[in-house]
Amino acid sequence: MKLGMLTACLPQLSLAEIAAWASETGYQALEVAAWPRTGGRDFEAAHLPVAGFGEREADEIRGLFQRHRLDLSALAYYENNLHPDARRRAEIHAHLKAVIDTAAALDVPYVGTFVGRDWTRPVAPNLEEAEKVFPEFVEYAGERGVRLIIENCVMEGWHPDGYPGNLAYSPELWEWMFSLGLYLNWDPSHLTWIGVDPVRTIAPYADRIVHAQAKDLQILPGKVDRYGVFGKAVRREDPWDTGWWRYRVPGRGQVDWSAVVDALYEHGFTGTLSVEHEDPVWGGTEEKVKTGLEIAHRTLRPLIVA
């Protein structure tokens, strides 16, 4: 197991700047954000020019990671592959293929994305649509030696009423998506607020957890008693604000990281545990974001054996 970080929290920095800082801080791998541009929403970034990516660019990236003694654990493009707007969906699908091509050029084993959801339709038709959409991508990736990994984020902000916007949030849905040839980028923070014990999900699905994200979650005392598990309903100006929990860097929330890492080791995980920084306390400036990443490193690095 190696300790890495997702680069999306530092969209204003170049990949070269992030690699230098991450290596100096003690991180061992980077999960590289590969959106087409920065600014569509918080926590996305364009750190690889996947459109028109060629051998020259591949050589530059390989050299960068070699110089800083870092692994490139995965490419990250977490978008809604079931978007209800046909034009937007086609853009997302085209870019996902470009990310897969770039991963293949760099010998990166994984590309991370979301199942997503057409929020104008019930769940059952969405599952049927996904069963049409994803086999093509799984085959496309597989032909290039790449696996698609799905993060189990609920993406409640994608739904106008705050309901799940990514149909990959529960073990029940994992079993369904595994049947399509997809793998899991496992994140305990999302399981925590929907009432699932993260540690108990590791053993049954260990063969499909090939990459993991390290994000914590803080439950705000007493707030769920007002809003319920679905969050704010009457005044929810920010679709991502449930009102009763918030993301934190590892060590500042409810997740038992010692138990998580121990269970991952016990069940044979040899991938990258990648810090995903979305902590509002340690956000807003480059300095604060880096401090948050340092807190995460100090929390997790003593638990990593190698």
Side-chain angles (χ1 to χ4, degrees), residues 255-270:
V255 175
D256 183 343
W257 290 102
S258 179
V260 163
V261 173
D262 190 51
L264 287 171
Y265 271 121
E266 180 180 0
H267 297 289
F269 181 77
T270 58

Side-chain angles (χ1 to χ4, degrees), residues 215-292:
K215 185 161 74 261
D216 217 326
L217 182 128
Q218 179 184 17
I219 294 174
L220 305 175
K223 296 295 186 179
V224 73
D225 295 327
R226 172 172 173 77
Y227 299 118
V229 70
F230 300 111
K232 291 180 178 179
V234 177
R235 292 185 178 86
R236 189 166 176 162
E237 291 82 6
D238 180 352
W240 301 98
D241 180 18
T242 66
W244 67 272
W245 59 265
R246 60 183 180 176
Y247 293 127
R248 300 302 309 272
V249 292
R252 295 294 189 268
Q254 320 292 136
V255 175
D256 183 343
W257 290 102
S258 179
V260 163
V261 173
D262 190 51
L264 287 171
Y265 271 121
E266 180 180 0
H267 297 289
F269 181 77
T270 58
T272 296
L273 181 61
S274 180
V275 173
E276 184 183 18
H277 183 341
E278 298 185 9
D279 187 328
V281 176
W282 296 106
T285 68
E286 178 186 330
E287 181 182 7
K288 291 179 73 175
V289 169
K290 286 181 174 179
T291 299

Side-chain angles (χ1 to χ4, degrees), residues 5-27 29-33 45-48 64-65 68 70 286 289-290 293:
M5 55 169 276
L6 174 60
T7 66
C9 59
L10 292 166
Q12 73 278 19
L13 299 185
S14 69
L15 183 56
E17 291 171 321
I18 294 171
W21 181 86
S23 179
E24 291 171 2
T25 305
Y27 280 99
L30 295 181
E31 179 185 2
V32 176
H47 285 137
L48 270 182
L64 174 67
F65 277 74
H68 294 292
L70 292 168
E286 178 186 330
V289 169
K290 286 181 174 179
L293 290 167

Side-chain angles (χ1 to χ4, degrees), residues 77-130:
Y77 179 55
Y78 291 98
E79 277 293 351
N80 186 354
N81 285 289
L82 300 180
H83 199 287
D85 181 85
R87 180 177 296 179
R88 178 62 183 135
R89 187 191 291 195
E91 291 174 351
I92 292 167
H93 288 183
H95 190 74
L96 178 58
K97 285 188 173 180
V99 176
I100 293 169
D101 290 339
T102 301
L106 290 168
D107 296 318
V108 175
Y110 308 119
V111 166
T113 190
F114 288 137
V115 170
R117 178 179 182 173
D118 176 349
W119 58 82
T120 69
R121 306 174 73 195
V123 170
N126 269 277
L127 300 183
E128 293 172 2
E129 183 67 12

